[in-house]
Amino acid sequence: MEELHSEIQKADPEPAPKIIGLTGGIGSGKTTVARFIEEFGFPVYYSDDRAKAIVNESEDLKTKIKALLGNEAYDENSMYDRKFVAEKVFSNKELLHELNEIIHPAVKVDFEEWLKKQTKYLVFKETALLFELRLNRQCYKSLLVTAEDNIRAKRVMDRDGKTYREVEAVMEKQMPEKDKIKLADCIIYNNTNLDDLKEQTEQIIFSIE
């Protein structure tokens, strides 16, 4: 009987967590929704934050990035110079693509290591480029946080002290909201207040089967 019980256990492993891709354009409130998700007890992997950390942690990445963009990509303290890099790739799609080809595989490996440690039936992978990089294809469902363009722009202007033209320039570089809405499995409209945003978040995540 012990051998039979052992075979049953082997044949019925713990199901892998379902990965929900969480995304949203600048000023959408994606990070706020991610915090709500954590409050409801679900883990969130912050791809954008991890990418910022990994470029400083990995000597291999540092070497590759310097080869692509020059030694100025890192400052005198050997820390990633985000301002320099952003200015370098902002108007150069090919260079941005090459940089992403260096960073994103490293983030993928980091996420897979994180995923192995998770025990909840749902986990959330936050990334700004979910649809642009087709990462939604690797997820069980995609969750988009969106808002009207003028609301998003005002939020960023208030938050970062940017002009409307500066925000507009960033928004123009991102996939249009209407295209993201077509691709998303679940949508949260963040046009009103935090209470409504939290309520929408709760309803959606607990309706995912």
Side-chain angles (χ1 to χ4, degrees):
M1 285 292 291
E2 264 185 45
E3 289 181 11
L4 178 61
H5 182 65
S6 176
E7 288 302 317
I8 291 173
Q9 284 186 320
K10 288 178 183 177
D12 189 24
E14 192 71 24
K18 292 175 178 176
I19 302 167
I20 311 301
L22 173 64
T23 194
I26 186 171
S28 66
K30 167 172 57 78
T31 302
T32 303
V33 167
R35 302 303 184 201
F36 287 152
I37 288 169
E38 289 180 313
E39 282 184 32
F40 293 130
F42 296 97
V44 178
Y45 178 87
Y46 293 89
S47 299
D48 302 335
D49 288 347
R50 285 303 300 149
K52 292 174 187 176
I54 290 169
V55 293
N56 286 311
E57 295 169 355
S58 169
E59 292 302 322
D60 181 51
L61 281 193
K62 286 184 180 182
T63 300
K64 290 177 179 177
I65 291 170
K66 285 179 181 178
L68 177 67
L69 303 177
N71 290 334
E72 302 93 334
Y74 286 81
D75 63 21
E76 64 275 8
N77 298 314
S78 196
M79 297 298 288
Y80 190 68
D81 190 332
R82 294 184 58 78
K83 186 172 184 295
F84 170 84
V85 173
E87 290 173 353
K88 190 93 171 175
V89 304
F90 189 75
S91 298
N92 190 325
K93 288 185 178 180
E94 182 58 35
L95 205 56
L96 177 59
H97 174 74
E98 290 183 50
L99 179 63
N100 285 337
E101 286 294 300
I102 293 171
I103 296 174
H104 291 305
V107 175
K108 182 175 184 289
V109 171
D110 187 70
F111 171 73
E112 288 169 351
E113 290 300 313
W114 175 87
L115 186 62
K116 291 175 185 176
K117 303 171 187 174
Q118 306 311 313
T119 57
K120 291 286 186 177
Y121 70 96
L122 291 182
V123 299
F124 290 78
K125 183 178 185 179
E126 173 272 340
T127 175
L129 300 175
L130 184 73
F131 299 123
E132 289 88 337
L133 298 176
R134 297 183 174 85
L135 299 175
N136 55 309
R137 296 179 180 179
Q138 302 166 15
C139 299
Y140 176 68
K141 298 277 187 183
S142 58
L143 173 55
L144 170 68
V145 185
T146 188
E148 295 174 8
D149 286 355
N150 62 326
I151 293 176
R152 293 169 53 219
K154 186 177 186 310
R155 286 176 185 151
V156 180
M157 290 163 65
D158 292 344
R159 182 188 70 196
D160 299 341
K162 294 183 179 294
T163 65
Y164 181 81
R165 186 69 197 95
E166 288 173 327
V167 179
E168 187 180 46
V170 174
M171 291 171 66
E172 286 174 352
K173 294 284 184 181
Q174 299 182 336
M175 180 184 288
E177 292 299 291
K178 60 181 177 62
D179 294 341
K180 292 180 183 178
I181 288 170
K182 290 176 184 175
L183 292 169
D185 295 306
C186 308
I187 304 170
I188 291 175
Y189 292 96
N190 183 21
N191 290 321
T192 53
N193 56 59
L194 284 177
D195 289 339
D196 177 68
L197 182 63
K198 188 170 187 177
E199 184 178 335
Q200 285 189 69
T201 303
E202 182 177 19
Q203 288 177 348
I204 284 179
I205 66 172
F206 285 105
S207 69
I208 296 172
E209 298 179 351

